[in-house]
Amino acid sequence: MSKKLTVAVVGATGAVGREMLKTLHDRQFPATEVRAFASARSAGTKVPFGDDELVVQELKEDVFEGIDIAIFSAGGSTSEKFAPHAAHAGCVVVDNSSQWRMDDRCPLVVPEVNPEHLEGHQGIIANPNCSTIQMLVALKPIHDAVGIMVVSTYQAVSGTGQKGLEELERQTRDLFNMREPENKVYPYRIAFNVLPHIDVFLENDYTKEEMKMVNETHKMLDPNIRVTATCVRVPVFYGHSESVNIETEKKLTAAEARVILSQAPGVQVVDNPRANLYPLAVDAAGEDDVFVGRIREDESCDNALNLWIVADNVRKGAALNAVQIAEELLKRDLVSVVNPGMFL
Ligand code: A2P
């Protein structure tokens, strides 16, 4: 390899961070060196990288010197504090938290949807919310005529990180062993339950997760689409499912939508009701694509369609999308920070 390219994963011990390392390795991202960072708690521990292991280093403000791209998934407050230092050191940040998503200085990007927004970036690029990513990958190819969207999500516990996975596993084990399950992560039991509550409640009685879907769709796809969302946590380990109703200006038949979607990048149509074939979270887990099925015309409305959209929230919803952004940066020769002081 001729040119040196050093990549860091910040939050490398977490559910998404581990998947980021796996994705970088599986896709043979052309890094000459990969470094793993997490909190002081994890310094010195090891995380897998292909057949090797990386020693985790403590994240500090001065670690970014010599790093070209840092992919962050360590929560909003870590991103708020450290991403400006990374950019200041000339390191391009791809941030998976919600911290920078609605900041006008930061492009919010899904490579299948709006890769051109990377041009002119200022050093921090935001990776959208997992539920928004899969919805827009499926919506982009048919978006021209879309005016109104109503979405309900069924989201896996891995969206809450390692602690969400552990809570569902522990509560399930406790219930099978006649023990009272403890709620440490979610306000109510998640095992054998459904919680219409993801992230905090806002003034308008929507949750922050629901408003992320609205605001991020406006920033990336079209500010004129009217979107409303209900986000629900379900006892599934990996894979978010979404029921999406779209109202179009002109009639789009289910058959036409099926043809367009089957040719769209990053999308697989799984839609054969007579054979009981439709997208499932368990099948999407570990896969790169966004799966779309149950495509049918809404009989309560003249020009509307119903879709069922499923994707691996940790992969396309987080790690893969972030790595694809990094790949797009390389392709477009955008691995540099023009104004490094911008965020400090
Ligand atoms: P650590 O394991 O050292 O706490 P998840 O979303 O799965 O909970 O993972 C969160 C990730 O963010 C972990 O890798 C965690 O590291 C990391 N993290 C949390 N707080 C900090 C911090 N203040 N500095 C660096 N990394 C952090």
Side-chain angles (χ1 to χ4, degrees):
M1 195 167 307
S2 53
K3 204 157 165 267
K4 223 172 135 288
L5 183 70
T6 302
V7 175
V9 171
V10 174
T13 53
V16 172
R18 284 171 186 272
E19 191 68 25
M20 283 170 169
L21 288 169
K22 183 171 182 301
T23 307
L24 286 168
H25 181 266
D26 290 354
R27 292 173 73 87
Q28 300 182 323
F29 189 84
T32 43
E33 187 187 345
V34 178
R35 299 183 195 164
F37 294 96
S39 76
R41 293 180 289 277
S42 309
T45 62
K46 289 180 179 166
V47 284
F49 183 65
D51 293 332
D52 293 330
E53 287 184 319
L54 301 176
V55 177
V56 176
Q57 303 173 47
E58 180 183 351
L59 183 65
K60 293 188 189 148
E61 289 173 0
D62 61 359
V63 298
F64 297 101
E65 213 57 57
I67 297 174
D68 299 292
I69 302 177
I71 312 182
F72 276 59
S73 190
S77 56
T78 304
S79 292
E80 181 183 18
K81 182 165 172 213
F82 291 95
H85 291 283
H88 188 240
C91 165
V92 182
V93 172
V94 181
D95 181 43
N96 190 48
S97 82
S98 61
Q99 178 60 36
W100 303 99
R101 288 185 193 148
M102 299 313 293
D103 189 314
D104 287 340
R105 299 168 296 177
C106 304
L108 181 67
V109 174
V110 177
E112 292 89 338
V113 176
N114 61 337
E116 68 284 358
H117 288 191
L118 289 172
E119 301 289 345
H121 75 79
Q122 307 283 338
I124 301 180
I125 295 142
N127 200 43
N129 175 264
C130 43
S131 300
T132 316
I133 292 175
Q134 68 184 68
M135 182 171 78
L136 295 195
V137 168
L139 257 289
K140 168 72 177 175
I142 49 177
H143 114 273
D144 281 344
V146 173
I148 301 177
M149 278 168 53
V150 181
V151 54
S152 299
T153 70
Y154 306 80
Q155 300 186 209
V157 292
S158 48
T160 319
Q162 197 60 40
K163 56 188 186 298
L165 293 162
E166 285 162 15
E167 178 119 323
L168 176 57
E169 192 189 324
R170 183 173 33 73
Q171 290 185 345
T172 307
R173 224 179 314 106
D174 284 347
L175 285 162
F176 277 121
N177 286 289
M178 315 291 251
R179 287 193 298 262
E180 188 57 35
E182 201 186 335
N183 306 321
K184 289 189 185 165
V185 175
Y186 302 109
Y188 301 99
R189 200 179 90 196
I190 184 64
F192 308 102
N193 204 4
V194 168
L195 307 178
H197 174 185
I198 299 183
D199 211 329
V200 294
F201 280 98
L202 303 173
E203 281 282 294
N204 62 0
D205 290 345
Y206 282 79
T207 61
K208 197 169 168 195
E209 183 83 355
E210 289 161 351
M211 293 315 295
K212 283 176 198 167
M213 296 195 75
V214 176
N215 298 331
E216 294 179 19
T217 298
H218 288 163
K219 180 163 174 176
M220 281 186 286
L221 192 62
D222 184 344
N224 298 314
I225 299 181
R226 296 170 66 183
V227 188
T228 188
T230 303
C231 292
V232 179
R233 187 77 65 195
V234 292
V236 166
F237 284 106
Y238 293 98
H240 287 358
S241 306
E242 300 178 345
S243 163
V244 181
N245 178 274
I246 55 171
E247 203 173 319
T248 52
E249 274 147 31
K250 279 175 275 158
K251 175 100 183 151
L252 181 68
T253 66
E256 286 166 343
R258 228 172 261 127
V259 170
I260 296 170
L261 285 166
S262 61
Q263 294 160 357
V267 175
Q268 271 191 54
V269 173
V270 180
D271 194 22
N272 186 351
R274 267 147 289 282
N276 289 348
L277 276 179
Y278 33 76
L280 294 173
V282 287
D283 295 334
E287 298 290 328
D288 286 351
D289 283 333
V290 171
F291 298 86
V292 187
R294 303 295 324 277
I295 303 166
R296 61 213 192 276
E297 284 152 42
D298 173 353
E299 296 183 342
S300 76
C301 186
D302 285 341
N303 297 333
L305 287 176
N306 283 311
L307 311 167
W308 180 250
I309 303 172
V310 181
D312 185 325
N313 55 300
V314 175
R315 220 169 152 81
K316 181 57 187 170
L320 172 63
N321 199 70
V323 172
Q324 286 173 318
I325 290 174
E327 290 171 350
E328 196 68 36
L329 287 168
L330 282 180
K331 201 165 89 188
R332 291 171 181 256
D333 201 13
L334 291 171
V335 187
S336 60
V337 182
V338 178
N339 179 7
M342 159 81 78
F343 295 94
L344 272 185

Short mmCIF file of all heavy atoms in Angstrom, two decimals, residues 16 20 70-73 79 93-102 106-112 114 118 124-133 212 216 219-220 312-326:
data_model
loop_
_atom_site.label_atom_id
_atom_site.label_comp_id
_atom_site.label_asym_id
_atom_site.label_seq_id
_atom_site.Cartn_x
_atom_site.Cartn_y
_atom_site.Cartn_z
N VAL A 16 -21.71 -1.44 18.97
CA VAL A 16 -21.51 -0.89 17.63
C VAL A 16 -20.03 -0.81 17.30
O VAL A 16 -19.60 -1.12 16.18
CB VAL A 16 -22.18 0.51 17.51
CG1 VAL A 16 -21.81 1.18 16.20
CG2 VAL A 16 -23.69 0.39 17.63
N MET A 20 -18.11 -2.16 14.13
CA MET A 20 -17.33 -1.28 13.24
C MET A 20 -15.99 -1.93 12.90
O MET A 20 -15.55 -1.91 11.74
CB MET A 20 -17.09 0.07 13.90
CG MET A 20 -18.31 0.97 13.86
SD MET A 20 -18.08 2.42 14.89
CE MET A 20 -19.49 3.38 14.35
N ALA A 70 -11.59 9.02 12.24
CA ALA A 70 -12.03 8.40 13.50
C ALA A 70 -13.53 8.15 13.43
O ALA A 70 -14.30 9.08 13.17
CB ALA A 70 -11.70 9.30 14.69
N ILE A 71 -13.92 6.91 13.64
CA ILE A 71 -15.34 6.57 13.64
C ILE A 71 -15.76 6.43 15.10
O ILE A 71 -15.23 5.60 15.83
CB ILE A 71 -15.60 5.27 12.86
CG1 ILE A 71 -14.87 5.32 11.50
CG2 ILE A 71 -17.08 5.08 12.63
CD1 ILE A 71 -15.09 4.09 10.65
N PHE A 72 -16.68 7.30 15.50
CA PHE A 72 -17.08 7.38 16.91
C PHE A 72 -18.40 6.64 17.14
O PHE A 72 -19.38 6.86 16.43
CB PHE A 72 -17.36 8.84 17.31
CG PHE A 72 -16.17 9.66 17.72
CD1 PHE A 72 -15.10 9.87 16.87
CD2 PHE A 72 -16.16 10.27 18.97
CE1 PHE A 72 -14.03 10.66 17.26
CE2 PHE A 72 -15.09 11.08 19.37
CZ PHE A 72 -14.02 11.27 18.52
N SER A 73 -18.45 5.82 18.20
CA SER A 73 -19.73 5.33 18.69
C SER A 73 -19.61 5.15 20.20
O SER A 73 -19.55 4.02 20.71
CB SER A 73 -20.14 4.02 18.01
OG SER A 73 -21.47 3.73 18.36
N SER A 79 -18.82 12.28 22.16
CA SER A 79 -18.65 12.91 20.84
C SER A 79 -18.57 14.43 20.98
O SER A 79 -17.77 15.09 20.32
CB SER A 79 -19.83 12.57 19.94
OG SER A 79 -19.80 11.22 19.61
N VAL A 93 -13.95 13.07 11.44
CA VAL A 93 -14.78 12.27 12.34
C VAL A 93 -16.05 11.82 11.62
O VAL A 93 -16.72 12.62 10.96
CB VAL A 93 -15.19 13.11 13.57
CG1 VAL A 93 -16.21 12.36 14.44
CG2 VAL A 93 -13.95 13.48 14.40
N VAL A 94 -16.37 10.53 11.74
CA VAL A 94 -17.70 10.03 11.35
C VAL A 94 -18.36 9.62 12.65
O VAL A 94 -17.91 8.69 13.32
CB VAL A 94 -17.59 8.83 10.38
CG1 VAL A 94 -18.99 8.36 9.99
CG2 VAL A 94 -16.78 9.20 9.15
N ASP A 95 -19.39 10.36 13.05
CA ASP A 95 -19.94 10.21 14.40
C ASP A 95 -21.30 9.54 14.40
O ASP A 95 -22.23 10.00 13.76
CB ASP A 95 -20.04 11.59 15.06
CG ASP A 95 -20.57 11.46 16.47
OD1 ASP A 95 -20.13 10.55 17.18
OD2 ASP A 95 -21.45 12.26 16.85
N ASN A 96 -21.39 8.47 15.18
CA ASN A 96 -22.64 7.70 15.21
C ASN A 96 -23.64 8.21 16.24
O ASN A 96 -24.77 7.75 16.28
CB ASN A 96 -22.29 6.23 15.49
CG ASN A 96 -23.47 5.33 15.30
OD1 ASN A 96 -24.16 5.40 14.28
ND2 ASN A 96 -23.76 4.49 16.28
N SER A 97 -23.26 9.15 17.07
CA SER A 97 -24.20 9.65 18.09
C SER A 97 -25.13 10.70 17.48
O SER A 97 -24.96 11.11 16.34
CB SER A 97 -23.44 10.27 19.26
OG SER A 97 -23.07 11.60 18.93
N SER A 98 -26.10 11.15 18.29
CA SER A 98 -27.01 12.17 17.75
C SER A 98 -26.45 13.59 17.95
O SER A 98 -27.06 14.57 17.54
CB SER A 98 -28.38 12.05 18.43
OG SER A 98 -28.25 12.25 19.81
N GLN A 99 -25.27 13.68 18.57
CA GLN A 99 -24.73 14.98 18.99
C GLN A 99 -24.64 16.02 17.85
O GLN A 99 -24.99 17.17 18.03
CB GLN A 99 -23.34 14.76 19.60
CG GLN A 99 -22.63 16.02 20.04
CD GLN A 99 -23.40 16.78 21.11
OE1 GLN A 99 -24.05 16.17 21.97
NE2 GLN A 99 -23.37 18.09 21.06
N TRP A 100 -24.16 15.61 16.69
CA TRP A 100 -23.88 16.59 15.62
C TRP A 100 -24.87 16.52 14.47
O TRP A 100 -24.72 17.24 13.48
CB TRP A 100 -22.45 16.37 15.09
CG TRP A 100 -21.42 16.45 16.16
CD1 TRP A 100 -20.83 15.41 16.82
CD2 TRP A 100 -20.87 17.65 16.73
NE1 TRP A 100 -19.95 15.89 17.76
CE2 TRP A 100 -19.95 17.26 17.73
CE3 TRP A 100 -21.07 19.01 16.50
CZ2 TRP A 100 -19.23 18.18 18.48
CZ3 TRP A 100 -20.35 19.93 17.25
CH2 TRP A 100 -19.45 19.51 18.22
N ARG A 101 -25.88 15.65 14.58
CA ARG A 101 -26.71 15.38 13.40
C ARG A 101 -27.45 16.59 12.86
O ARG A 101 -27.58 16.76 11.65
CB ARG A 101 -27.74 14.28 13.71
CG ARG A 101 -27.11 12.93 13.84
CD ARG A 101 -28.17 11.87 14.04
NE ARG A 101 -27.56 10.63 14.46
CZ ARG A 101 -28.15 9.76 15.27
NH1 ARG A 101 -29.37 9.99 15.74
NH2 ARG A 101 -27.54 8.65 15.60
N MET A 102 -27.97 17.44 13.74
CA MET A 102 -28.76 18.56 13.25
C MET A 102 -27.94 19.85 13.22
O MET A 102 -28.48 20.93 12.97
CB MET A 102 -30.03 18.73 14.09
CG MET A 102 -30.97 17.52 14.05
SD MET A 102 -31.28 16.87 12.38
CE MET A 102 -32.18 18.24 11.67
N CYS A 106 -22.47 20.18 9.94
CA CYS A 106 -22.15 18.75 9.80
C CYS A 106 -23.07 18.06 8.81
O CYS A 106 -24.29 18.01 9.03
CB CYS A 106 -22.28 18.05 11.15
SG CYS A 106 -21.26 18.80 12.43
N PRO A 107 -22.53 17.50 7.74
CA PRO A 107 -23.39 16.71 6.85
C PRO A 107 -23.91 15.47 7.57
O PRO A 107 -23.21 14.89 8.41
CB PRO A 107 -22.48 16.33 5.69
CG PRO A 107 -21.15 16.88 5.95
CD PRO A 107 -21.13 17.52 7.30
N LEU A 108 -25.13 15.09 7.23
CA LEU A 108 -25.76 13.89 7.78
C LEU A 108 -25.97 13.00 6.57
O LEU A 108 -26.68 13.41 5.63
CB LEU A 108 -27.09 14.30 8.41
CG LEU A 108 -27.96 13.24 9.08
CD1 LEU A 108 -27.27 12.68 10.32
CD2 LEU A 108 -29.30 13.84 9.48
N VAL A 109 -25.35 11.81 6.56
CA VAL A 109 -25.24 11.12 5.27
C VAL A 109 -25.59 9.63 5.34
O VAL A 109 -25.14 8.91 6.23
CB VAL A 109 -23.79 11.27 4.73
CG1 VAL A 109 -23.59 10.44 3.46
CG2 VAL A 109 -23.49 12.74 4.43
N VAL A 110 -26.39 9.21 4.38
CA VAL A 110 -26.54 7.79 4.05
C VAL A 110 -26.01 7.66 2.62
O VAL A 110 -26.54 8.33 1.72
CB VAL A 110 -28.02 7.35 4.11
CG1 VAL A 110 -28.15 5.89 3.69
CG2 VAL A 110 -28.60 7.55 5.49
N PRO A 111 -24.96 6.89 2.39
CA PRO A 111 -24.35 6.89 1.05
C PRO A 111 -25.30 6.58 -0.10
O PRO A 111 -25.14 7.12 -1.19
CB PRO A 111 -23.24 5.83 1.18
CG PRO A 111 -22.84 5.95 2.62
CD PRO A 111 -24.13 6.16 3.37
N GLU A 112 -26.32 5.76 0.12
CA GLU A 112 -27.28 5.48 -0.97
C GLU A 112 -28.24 6.65 -1.18
O GLU A 112 -28.96 6.68 -2.17
CB GLU A 112 -28.13 4.25 -0.65
CG GLU A 112 -27.39 2.92 -0.63
CD GLU A 112 -26.82 2.58 0.73
OE1 GLU A 112 -26.63 3.51 1.56
OE2 GLU A 112 -26.56 1.40 0.98
N ASN A 114 -27.67 10.46 0.02
CA ASN A 114 -27.18 11.82 -0.22
C ASN A 114 -25.66 11.93 -0.08
O ASN A 114 -25.16 12.79 0.66
CB ASN A 114 -27.87 12.80 0.75
CG ASN A 114 -27.56 12.46 2.20
OD1 ASN A 114 -27.23 11.33 2.53
ND2 ASN A 114 -27.65 13.45 3.07
N LEU A 118 -21.40 15.15 1.45
CA LEU A 118 -20.06 15.08 2.05
C LEU A 118 -19.14 16.18 1.52
O LEU A 118 -18.19 16.59 2.20
CB LEU A 118 -19.41 13.71 1.75
CG LEU A 118 -20.00 12.51 2.48
CD1 LEU A 118 -19.39 11.22 1.93
CD2 LEU A 118 -19.74 12.61 3.98
N ILE A 124 -16.46 17.10 10.78
CA ILE A 124 -17.33 16.18 11.52
C ILE A 124 -18.52 15.83 10.63
O ILE A 124 -19.25 16.71 10.17
CB ILE A 124 -17.83 16.79 12.85
CG1 ILE A 124 -16.63 17.16 13.76
CG2 ILE A 124 -18.76 15.79 13.58
CD1 ILE A 124 -17.03 17.77 15.11
N ILE A 125 -18.69 14.52 10.41
CA ILE A 125 -19.80 14.03 9.60
C ILE A 125 -20.67 13.16 10.51
O ILE A 125 -20.15 12.35 11.28
CB ILE A 125 -19.28 13.20 8.41
CG1 ILE A 125 -18.50 14.14 7.48
CG2 ILE A 125 -20.41 12.52 7.66
CD1 ILE A 125 -17.29 13.52 6.90
N ALA A 126 -21.96 13.34 10.43
CA ALA A 126 -22.85 12.59 11.32
C ALA A 126 -23.47 11.40 10.60
O ALA A 126 -23.83 11.48 9.42
CB ALA A 126 -23.95 13.50 11.86
N ASN A 127 -23.53 10.29 11.34
CA ASN A 127 -24.20 9.08 10.88
C ASN A 127 -25.63 9.15 11.43
O ASN A 127 -25.81 9.36 12.63
CB ASN A 127 -23.45 7.89 11.49
CG ASN A 127 -23.67 6.60 10.76
OD1 ASN A 127 -23.66 6.56 9.53
ND2 ASN A 127 -23.87 5.53 11.52
N PRO A 128 -26.64 8.97 10.61
CA PRO A 128 -28.01 9.16 11.10
C PRO A 128 -28.46 8.08 12.09
O PRO A 128 -27.78 7.09 12.32
CB PRO A 128 -28.86 9.09 9.83
CG PRO A 128 -27.91 9.28 8.71
CD PRO A 128 -26.60 8.75 9.17
N ASN A 129 -29.62 8.32 12.65
CA ASN A 129 -30.29 7.35 13.52
C ASN A 129 -30.56 6.05 12.75
O ASN A 129 -30.91 6.09 11.57
CB ASN A 129 -31.60 7.99 14.00
CG ASN A 129 -32.44 7.06 14.80
OD1 ASN A 129 -33.34 6.41 14.29
ND2 ASN A 129 -32.13 6.94 16.07
N CYS A 130 -30.43 4.93 13.46
CA CYS A 130 -30.58 3.62 12.80
C CYS A 130 -31.93 3.47 12.08
O CYS A 130 -31.99 2.98 10.96
CB CYS A 130 -30.41 2.51 13.84
SG CYS A 130 -31.26 2.82 15.39
N SER A 131 -33.00 3.92 12.71
CA SER A 131 -34.33 3.75 12.10
C SER A 131 -34.49 4.64 10.87
O SER A 131 -35.17 4.27 9.91
CB SER A 131 -35.42 4.11 13.11
OG SER A 131 -35.32 3.27 14.22
N THR A 132 -33.87 5.82 10.91
CA THR A 132 -33.96 6.72 9.76
C THR A 132 -33.19 6.14 8.58
O THR A 132 -33.65 6.20 7.43
CB THR A 132 -33.37 8.11 10.09
OG1 THR A 132 -33.84 8.51 11.37
CG2 THR A 132 -33.76 9.13 9.06
N ILE A 133 -32.01 5.57 8.85
CA ILE A 133 -31.17 5.05 7.76
C ILE A 133 -31.95 4.03 6.93
O ILE A 133 -32.08 4.17 5.71
CB ILE A 133 -29.87 4.41 8.31
CG1 ILE A 133 -28.95 5.48 8.90
CG2 ILE A 133 -29.14 3.64 7.19
CD1 ILE A 133 -27.70 4.93 9.59
N LYS A 212 -36.23 12.41 15.89
CA LYS A 212 -35.03 12.22 15.07
C LYS A 212 -35.45 11.76 13.68
O LYS A 212 -34.90 12.21 12.67
CB LYS A 212 -34.12 11.15 15.68
CG LYS A 212 -33.31 11.59 16.89
CD LYS A 212 -32.53 10.38 17.44
CE LYS A 212 -32.08 10.62 18.86
NZ LYS A 212 -31.60 9.37 19.51
N GLU A 216 -34.34 14.22 10.78
CA GLU A 216 -33.26 13.70 9.94
C GLU A 216 -33.75 13.45 8.51
O GLU A 216 -33.02 13.65 7.54
CB GLU A 216 -32.67 12.43 10.56
CG GLU A 216 -31.96 12.72 11.88
CD GLU A 216 -31.39 11.47 12.55
OE1 GLU A 216 -31.20 10.44 11.87
OE2 GLU A 216 -31.14 11.54 13.77
N LYS A 219 -33.64 16.76 6.86
CA LYS A 219 -32.28 17.23 6.54
C LYS A 219 -31.68 16.48 5.35
O LYS A 219 -31.01 17.06 4.51
CB LYS A 219 -31.37 17.10 7.76
CG LYS A 219 -29.93 17.58 7.52
CD LYS A 219 -29.15 17.83 8.79
CE LYS A 219 -27.70 18.16 8.48
NZ LYS A 219 -26.89 18.50 9.65
N MET A 220 -31.95 15.16 5.27
CA MET A 220 -31.27 14.36 4.23
C MET A 220 -32.05 14.21 2.94
O MET A 220 -31.49 14.18 1.87
CB MET A 220 -30.99 12.95 4.77
CG MET A 220 -29.79 12.90 5.65
SD MET A 220 -29.42 11.21 6.10
CE MET A 220 -30.73 10.91 7.27
N ASP A 312 -30.54 -4.75 9.82
CA ASP A 312 -29.72 -4.94 11.02
C ASP A 312 -29.33 -3.55 11.54
O ASP A 312 -28.56 -2.84 10.89
CB ASP A 312 -28.48 -5.77 10.68
CG ASP A 312 -27.65 -6.11 11.92
OD1 ASP A 312 -27.58 -5.26 12.85
OD2 ASP A 312 -27.08 -7.20 11.97
N ASN A 313 -29.87 -3.19 12.69
CA ASN A 313 -29.67 -1.83 13.22
C ASN A 313 -28.24 -1.56 13.61
O ASN A 313 -27.78 -0.42 13.56
CB ASN A 313 -30.58 -1.62 14.44
CG ASN A 313 -30.38 -2.68 15.50
OD1 ASN A 313 -30.57 -3.87 15.22
ND2 ASN A 313 -29.98 -2.29 16.68
N VAL A 314 -27.50 -2.60 14.01
CA VAL A 314 -26.10 -2.39 14.40
C VAL A 314 -25.22 -2.30 13.16
O VAL A 314 -24.22 -1.60 13.13
CB VAL A 314 -25.63 -3.52 15.35
CG1 VAL A 314 -24.15 -3.37 15.68
CG2 VAL A 314 -26.45 -3.48 16.64
N ARG A 315 -25.63 -2.99 12.09
CA ARG A 315 -24.83 -3.02 10.87
C ARG A 315 -25.21 -1.84 9.95
O ARG A 315 -24.62 -0.79 10.06
CB ARG A 315 -25.02 -4.39 10.19
CG ARG A 315 -23.77 -4.91 9.64
CD ARG A 315 -23.85 -6.34 9.19
NE ARG A 315 -22.88 -6.52 8.12
CZ ARG A 315 -21.59 -6.73 8.32
NH1 ARG A 315 -21.10 -6.80 9.54
NH2 ARG A 315 -20.76 -6.86 7.30
N LYS A 316 -26.25 -1.98 9.10
CA LYS A 316 -26.58 -0.84 8.21
C LYS A 316 -27.04 0.36 9.04
O LYS A 316 -26.82 1.50 8.67
CB LYS A 316 -27.66 -1.23 7.18
CG LYS A 316 -28.02 -0.10 6.21
CD LYS A 316 -26.80 0.42 5.44
CE LYS A 316 -27.15 1.67 4.62
NZ LYS A 316 -25.93 2.31 4.07
N GLY A 317 -27.67 0.09 10.19
CA GLY A 317 -28.14 1.20 11.02
C GLY A 317 -27.04 1.94 11.75
O GLY A 317 -27.30 3.00 12.32
N ALA A 318 -25.82 1.43 11.76
CA ALA A 318 -24.77 2.10 12.52
C ALA A 318 -23.39 1.84 11.89
O ALA A 318 -22.88 2.66 11.13
CB ALA A 318 -24.80 1.66 13.97
N ALA A 319 -22.81 0.66 12.18
CA ALA A 319 -21.41 0.41 11.81
C ALA A 319 -21.17 0.45 10.31
O ALA A 319 -20.25 1.12 9.83
CB ALA A 319 -20.97 -0.93 12.38
N LEU A 320 -21.98 -0.28 9.56
CA LEU A 320 -21.76 -0.35 8.11
C LEU A 320 -21.95 1.02 7.47
O LEU A 320 -21.14 1.44 6.63
CB LEU A 320 -22.72 -1.36 7.48
CG LEU A 320 -22.72 -1.41 5.95
CD1 LEU A 320 -21.36 -1.82 5.41
CD2 LEU A 320 -23.81 -2.36 5.43
N ASN A 321 -23.00 1.73 7.87
CA ASN A 321 -23.22 3.04 7.26
C ASN A 321 -22.04 3.97 7.52
O ASN A 321 -21.59 4.71 6.64
CB ASN A 321 -24.52 3.67 7.78
CG ASN A 321 -25.01 4.78 6.87
OD1 ASN A 321 -25.47 4.53 5.76
ND2 ASN A 321 -24.87 6.02 7.32
N ALA A 322 -21.48 3.90 8.75
CA ALA A 322 -20.34 4.75 9.09
C ALA A 322 -19.12 4.38 8.25
O ALA A 322 -18.41 5.25 7.73
CB ALA A 322 -20.02 4.63 10.58
N VAL A 323 -18.90 3.08 8.07
CA VAL A 323 -17.75 2.64 7.26
C VAL A 323 -17.97 3.01 5.79
O VAL A 323 -17.05 3.43 5.09
CB VAL A 323 -17.48 1.13 7.45
CG1 VAL A 323 -16.42 0.63 6.46
CG2 VAL A 323 -17.05 0.84 8.89
N GLN A 324 -19.21 2.90 5.32
CA GLN A 324 -19.51 3.31 3.93
C GLN A 324 -19.26 4.81 3.74
O GLN A 324 -18.82 5.24 2.68
CB GLN A 324 -20.96 2.99 3.58
CG GLN A 324 -21.21 1.51 3.34
CD GLN A 324 -22.70 1.21 3.15
OE1 GLN A 324 -23.54 1.75 3.87
NE2 GLN A 324 -23.01 0.36 2.20
N ILE A 325 -19.55 5.60 4.79
CA ILE A 325 -19.25 7.04 4.71
C ILE A 325 -17.74 7.22 4.57
O ILE A 325 -17.26 8.00 3.72
CB ILE A 325 -19.79 7.80 5.94
CG1 ILE A 325 -21.32 7.86 5.91
CG2 ILE A 325 -19.21 9.22 6.00
CD1 ILE A 325 -21.95 8.48 7.17
N ALA A 326 -16.97 6.47 5.37
CA ALA A 326 -15.50 6.57 5.29
C ALA A 326 -15.02 6.16 3.90
O ALA A 326 -14.13 6.80 3.31
CB ALA A 326 -14.87 5.70 6.37
#
